[in-house]
Amino acid sequence: MSSTKTTYSQVYDVLLEVGLEPSEITSEAALRADLGVDSAELVEIVTRLAPGSKVDGKVLKSVVTVADLVVFLDNLA
């Protein structure tokens, strides 16, 4: 991931790219329940933000909110 942008802003940008509305994207927003992101989309988002990282779908089940996703990605680095 680029060191010039925060992980949150990178996540925010990718969520915009997949078609979410800016007003929907908050750190507290639940990816699945609030934003409608399914498991396959979540894997795709992680892959885009951390290319080359091995993504375990089972581990991603613990990623519930946008903030959880940011922490998960920071821990991959």
Side-chain angles (χ1 to χ4, degrees), residues 10-24:
Q10 291 177 17
V11 168
Y12 183 89
D13 290 347
V14 170
L15 292 174
L16 289 176
E17 289 172 17
V18 298
L20 297 175
E21 292 296 319
S23 61
E24 297 176 312

Side-chain angles (χ1 to χ4, degrees), residues 11-77:
V11 168
Y12 183 89
D13 290 347
V14 170
L15 292 174
L16 289 176
E17 289 172 17
V18 298
L20 297 175
E21 292 296 319
S23 61
E24 297 176 312
I25 305 168
T26 65
S27 55
E28 299 84 22
L31 292 161
R32 293 169 187 84
D34 297 334
L35 304 178
V37 174
D38 66 27
S39 299
E41 290 171 319
L42 184 54
V43 169
E44 179 185 338
I45 290 166
V46 171
T47 302
R48 287 172 71 177
L49 290 166
S53 296
K54 293 187 179 184
V55 180
D56 182 348
K58 292 178 184 174
V59 173
L60 285 178
K61 288 186 180 187
S62 66
V63 175
V64 177
T65 65
V66 173
D68 293 339
L69 179 56
V70 170
V71 170
F72 176 82
L73 290 165
D74 282 342
N75 288 332
L76 284 177

